[in-house]
Amino acid sequence: MGDVVSYSREGEIAVITVNNPPVNALSLPVRKGLQDCFRQFAQDAEAKAAVLICDGRTFIAGADITEFGKPPEDPWLPKVIHEMEACEKVIVAAIHGTALGGGLETAMGCHYRCAVPSAQIGLPEVTLGLLPGATGTQRLPRLIGPKAALDAMVSGRPMPAKKAHAAGAIDELVEGDLKEGAIAYAKKLVANGAKPRRLSEESVDTSDIDEHFFAEYRNSIARQARGFFAPEQIIKCVEAAVSLPYEEAVKRENELFMECMMSSHSAAQRHLFFAERACQKVLDVPADTPKREVKKVAVIGGGTMGGGIGMKFANVGIPGVLKEINDEALERGLGIIRGNYENTVKKGRLSQEAMDQCMDLISGTVDYQGIDDCDLIIEAVFENMALKKEIFGELDKVAKKGAILASNTSTLDIDEIAACTSRPEDVIGWHFFAPANVMTLLELVRGKQTAKDVIATSMAMAKKIRKTAVLVGVCFGFVGNRMFFPYQREAGLMMLEGVPADRIDKVAYEWGWAMGPNGVADLSGLDVLVKVKNEWTERPDDPALWVVIEKLVEKGRMGQKTKAGIFDYSGRAPVPSAETAAIAKAEAERLGIEQRPDISDEEIIERLMYSMINEGALILEEGIAMRPSDIDVVFVHGYGMPRYRGGPMHYGDAVGLDKVVAAMEKYRQRYGDMYWKPAPLLAKLAKDGKSFDDWAAENA
Ligand code: 3HC
């Protein structure tokens, strides 16, 4: 390897350059290189000041996340930063791209910072379940004040250079060439006799802080930070920053950082960091696969989902046509879109002008006019195979050659749909998740004949409309719903055993789900679940399966939309329903189901989660998902599973697959083989003492 950090001199200014692609992460050679080069600078009598700059697309984007969880190797980043800061000669950080995490901490160890206007700085460690552990929690409050520093560290959001400049975190904005500008700035500092500014020698400005400050801050983030470990640790660090001398506070930061590093949360969140990048890669569809051009989109079906999809494209400037069956339905569809935009304008998150521009991009039709020149056509009608087949037959006639024909089916066989066209290679599943503006997942379903450029284009378009795409194969329910069915099945069976619906949901919520399984069922619509069950031809032969839901639908209890489902509703708040409990009791009697109302919280979680994990193992064996981590991305982005659990497969690994299998065997004894026989892959991994992660590494 060439030098990842190099030393050169331009007259009286030393230039220390980091070159560690792709993002100049602070791996061991970089830390060593920085230490060596700054020692050389200290010894170099000709050098009056130094500029720290990076090659490639960005300034240092943080510590090397791949090193986490392994024994730390010297020199440790805080040590390098302290050595740099102690230098008697001025050091200037020259920032482009993103100075993140340890990158910003290194820049704060420099005495001054300049940046190009397009740069961003931030401390995103919280997103990895960590805190800025290389003195960042002590330096940022000194630089921009404790409140702004807390906001930046607890949210993890990067700050644009101009804002950072206004806040005092960047001293100089450089228009034009960064290296030239940084050298000129360093020369100016030397000429003006500027001394090294050492943040560690400054105190935190506490003038805006009163005795209630931290308690109020904790309250203000309670909802968004629910369940997460790192935000509270960050607050404790800032408390230390305002109350302890620097050295002691840094020690405290280190202790709290190590607690984060050892936590299951950080392991889960780091796993997701890599999972979200891995899922963008499709082994047989390389990144340079040619893509089709998508300039105009059509959406068939103007319901909530269809309208939401149209909006996603309009938001990024791509015109779309919405097709409905008649004028009335079309008016309603366009009206919902308008209403959604108006609400966003009212909330101040969109300007009226931007809304008008988006609305101008969306047109409507009740026949196929205006669809013949669309490059991408997404069918988003309700879940019925016959209807979808009819639509794809029609699309085959009107769509231009090369148009991508996508179905927003949540369960159905893409190959069967594709077979209704003369161009199955152009057909793919685009499964969006409701609510489309909250859930970032897009399950892309690859049919047997789906062309590679259709996959590549779909992945690229997903990114463009800010969705996280995961490519999956054809089976009933694909990855997400197929695994959600057992989860919901267990919720239903526990209800039949006499466990109150609200208790199941409370335990699931406390475990971290955004909503319990019964609340989700009510939100999706119980009638929708019954329709899905009817379409599910290979469902388990079990009279108890979703039977409570079926009975509720017979009584007109469809969920939130009818203000009664598994729960009663006063407003949107669920209230336990006596009618549901009575139905569950009567059905349990009819089916001879033993009552076990007092099962432990642990059993509730095990039954919900392990049933899901087992299905995930089957999905991997069948090749429906490419990697266990893809499944994790599906659940975090599409189903409200908390990031600190890392997804179902990671959760299984974290618990230990041997423990998962042992619990399953316990339930198998009680309930039989139908649901609780471990999938062969799961059983084998457990027996060999391995994890899904090990399996993924072996099969990469
Ligand atoms: N460590 C190791 N690898 C990293 C990395 C890091 N900090 N940041 C990015 N990478 C890798 C990615 O995994 C990816 O690898 P791949 O090509 O094999 O999939 C590659 O670099 C490119 O990354 P992206 O695909 O994310 O590239 P983008 O251009 O889309 O984004 C970025 C660039 C904004 C820098 C983004 O990568 C990012 O947000 N990185 C993480 C930043 C971060 O969290 N820093 C804090 C680290 S923790 C820390 O510093 C602790 C300290 O306080 C002690």
Side-chain angles (χ1 to χ4, degrees):
M1 198 202 288
D3 279 350
V4 289
V5 188
S6 57
Y7 185 88
S8 64
R9 204 146 44 64
E10 307 249 340
E12 61 181 10
I13 306 299
V15 178
I16 294 171
T17 309
V18 180
N19 181 11
N20 184 30
V23 297
N24 289 315
L26 287 154
S27 12
L28 180 63
V30 175
R31 300 198 302 275
K32 276 204 175 117
L34 285 173
Q35 195 176 46
D36 291 346
C37 286
F38 278 106
R39 283 179 182 173
Q40 187 177 347
F41 165 58
Q43 299 296 318
D44 185 348
E46 308 281 305
K48 301 263 174 26
V51 164
L52 172 64
I53 194 164
C54 294
D55 276 345
R57 64 203 222 212
T58 180
F59 191 78
I60 301 163
D64 184 341
I65 305 168
T66 59
E67 287 182 357
F68 291 169
K70 300 176 190 159
E73 283 193 83
D74 223 28
W76 230 46
L77 186 58
K79 185 170 159 190
V80 176
I81 291 174
H82 279 132
E83 248 188 79
M84 285 168 59
E85 188 192 44
C87 183
E88 294 299 334
K89 295 184 281 185
V90 160
I91 303 172
V92 173
I95 301 171
H96 75 293
T98 43
L100 298 177
L104 177 56
E105 292 174 300
T106 306
M108 289 193 290
C110 298
H111 306 122
Y112 300 92
R113 286 150 294 280
C114 65
V116 291
S118 60
Q120 303 211 25
I121 64 164
L123 293 175
E125 284 85 344
V126 72
T127 62
L128 299 167
L130 295 171
L131 57 85
T135 68
T137 66
Q138 303 308 305
R139 292 181 189 276
L140 197 61
R142 284 170 165 78
L143 204 51
I144 62 173
K147 168 77 171 69
L150 267 175
D151 286 345
M153 293 189 286
V154 168
S155 73
R157 260 193 303 277
M159 203 186 272
K162 284 184 185 161
K163 194 172 164 204
H165 182 238
I170 301 286
D171 303 292
E172 180 102 341
L173 289 174
V174 175
E175 304 284 348
D177 184 73
L178 177 62
K179 189 169 161 189
E180 272 174 30
I183 291 174
Y185 177 52
K187 280 184 177 162
K188 191 170 82 181
L189 289 167
V190 172
N192 292 345
K195 297 272 169 275
R197 179 187 175 195
R198 298 189 186 97
L199 289 172
S200 66
E201 292 171 359
E202 297 183 8
S203 55
V204 181
D205 177 2
T206 52
S207 53
D208 285 343
I209 291 195
D210 62 20
E211 75 230 72
H212 307 297
F213 174 79
F214 286 104
E216 283 168 6
Y217 198 84
R218 285 187 166 91
N219 278 341
S220 72
I221 61 148
R223 241 188 84 192
Q224 87 200 54
R226 178 178 81 89
F228 284 89
F229 182 60
E232 172 59 24
Q233 301 283 95
I234 290 171
I235 297 175
K236 285 183 186 158
C237 286
V238 178
E239 280 177 325
V242 301
S243 59
L244 297 175
Y246 176 80
E247 284 75 17
E248 276 179 49
V250 166
K251 266 195 209 134
R252 184 84 184 113
E253 176 194 89
N254 184 241
E255 284 160 16
L256 293 163
F257 177 75
M258 289 317 291
E259 284 174 20
C260 287
M261 185 63 94
M262 305 311 286
S263 69
S264 62
H265 285 209
S266 180
Q269 289 172 260
R270 282 182 271 132
H271 164 78
L272 283 172
F273 176 86
F274 291 111
E276 284 161 347
R277 280 154 183 84
C279 71
Q280 297 172 30
K281 293 170 191 146
V282 181
L283 284 182
D284 64 333
V285 184
D288 58 0
T289 305
K291 295 174 191 63
R292 300 187 188 182
E293 206 172 26
V294 177
K295 285 191 176 153
K296 189 179 172 194
V297 173
V299 182
I300 314 298
T304 316
M305 187 50 98
I309 296 171
M311 288 170 74
K312 288 300 281 176
F313 284 94
N315 293 348
V316 295
I318 300 177
V321 189
L322 197 68
K323 181 192 175 302
E324 257 301 349
I325 40 170
N326 56 40
D327 288 334
E328 201 191 333
L330 182 60
E331 277 312 304
R332 200 171 43 237
L334 292 171
I336 293 173
I337 293 179
R338 179 171 292 282
N340 285 342
Y341 276 130
E342 278 167 357
N343 278 340
T344 320
V345 171
K346 260 188 225 143
K347 286 180 192 153
R349 295 210 301 259
L350 188 74
S351 69
Q352 184 61 47
E353 194 192 351
M355 167 179 160
D356 294 341
Q357 276 168 7
C358 288
M359 281 309 293
D360 283 349
L361 288 172
I362 302 176
S363 58
T365 180
V366 290
D367 45 34
Y368 281 96
Q369 220 176 6
I371 288 185
D372 52 354
D373 62 343
C374 286
D375 309 294
L376 166 65
I377 305 173
I378 305 170
E379 162 277 307
V381 302
F382 68 89
E383 200 69 346
N384 177 286
M385 183 53 108
L387 179 63
K388 291 192 191 260
K389 282 181 167 175
E390 187 188 321
I391 290 173
F392 273 77
E394 283 167 15
L395 289 178
D396 192 29
K397 286 186 210 127
V398 292
K400 73 175 188 188
K401 188 167 173 284
I404 296 175
L405 308 183
S407 172
N408 177 41
T409 174
S410 54
T411 50
L412 301 175
D413 186 341
I414 291 295
D415 290 324
E416 202 178 326
I417 296 173
C420 298
T421 71
S422 60
R423 37 176 137 176
E425 66 281 4
D426 293 339
V427 177
I428 185 168
W430 274 49
H431 179 204
F432 287 86
F433 286 71
N437 56 337
V438 180
M439 295 302 174
T440 42
L441 178 66
L442 181 61
E443 239 181 359
L444 293 176
V445 189
R446 173 183 203 162
K448 278 199 192 77
Q449 297 186 61
T450 307
K452 290 185 181 175
D453 63 345
V454 168
I455 294 171
T457 310
S458 298
M459 298 291 270
M461 289 312 295
K463 203 166 185 176
K464 184 148 195 179
I465 61 170
R466 302 203 179 90
K467 292 282 176 193
T468 301
V470 176
L471 187 70
V472 303
V474 174
C475 65
F476 190 79
F478 315 126
V479 168
N481 282 342
R482 177 167 161 189
M483 285 174 67
F484 210 61
F485 295 155
Y487 172 83
Q488 239 152 7
R489 172 198 84 212
E490 285 306 309
L493 295 178
M494 286 189 271
M495 263 197 279
L496 285 170
E497 290 173 20
V499 186
D502 59 315
R503 168 145 185 253
I504 298 168
D505 275 26
K506 182 166 172 277
V507 172
Y509 177 81
E510 280 167 3
W511 185 84
W513 286 97
M515 215 185 228
N518 297 307
V520 170
D522 273 355
L523 185 67
S524 319
L526 302 186
D527 53 326
V528 176
L529 291 176
V530 172
K531 277 200 194 108
V532 166
K533 185 179 168 188
N534 293 338
E535 294 275 346
W536 187 7
T537 45
E538 288 175 21
R539 64 176 182 263
D541 180 17
D542 175 10
L545 182 71
W546 293 1
V547 70
V548 176
I549 289 177
E550 277 171 326
K551 296 291 165 193
L552 288 167
V553 170
E554 280 170 21
K555 291 197 178 296
R557 298 180 67 107
M558 311 288 186
Q560 272 198 25
K561 61 188 164 193
T562 56
K563 301 236 170 290
I566 295 173
F567 297 110
D568 291 333
Y569 287 87
S570 76
R572 283 179 65 194
V575 181
S577 156
E579 191 171 3
T580 301
I583 289 174
K585 189 156 181 280
E587 286 305 306
E589 269 167 27
R590 183 175 71 82
L591 296 165
I593 291 173
E594 187 190 334
Q595 295 300 283
R596 313 178 62 252
D598 298 324
I599 61 173
S600 66
D601 290 357
E602 190 189 11
E603 176 171 337
I604 293 177
I605 291 302
E606 284 179 355
R607 287 175 62 181
L608 292 175
M609 292 308 305
Y610 296 177
S611 55
M612 185 183 247
I613 292 168
N614 195 48
E615 197 68 41
L618 290 170
I619 280 173
L620 287 172
E621 277 171 43
E622 292 167 24
I624 299 293
M626 290 184 288
R627 322 167 175 89
S629 64
D630 284 4
I631 298 179
D632 292 331
V633 173
V634 165
F635 278 89
V636 169
H637 285 268
Y639 291 83
M641 191 165 167
R643 292 186 74 84
Y644 60 79
R645 296 290 186 188
M649 309 315 274
H650 176 84
Y651 179 66
D653 281 353
V655 170
L657 298 186
D658 53 340
K659 294 205 179 68
V660 172
V661 167
M664 288 186 68
E665 290 295 354
K666 186 177 73 189
Y667 299 125
R668 189 177 177 186
Q669 293 280 320
R670 195 194 294 155
Y671 299 107
D673 276 8
M674 177 155 41
Y675 295 138
W676 291 108
K677 186 171 171 214
L681 173 64
L682 175 57
K684 177 155 180 17
L685 291 174
K687 187 165 154 277
D688 297 349
K690 290 188 173 166
S691 63
F692 288 118
D693 220 20
D694 295 330
W695 181 81
E698 283 162 17
N699 288 278

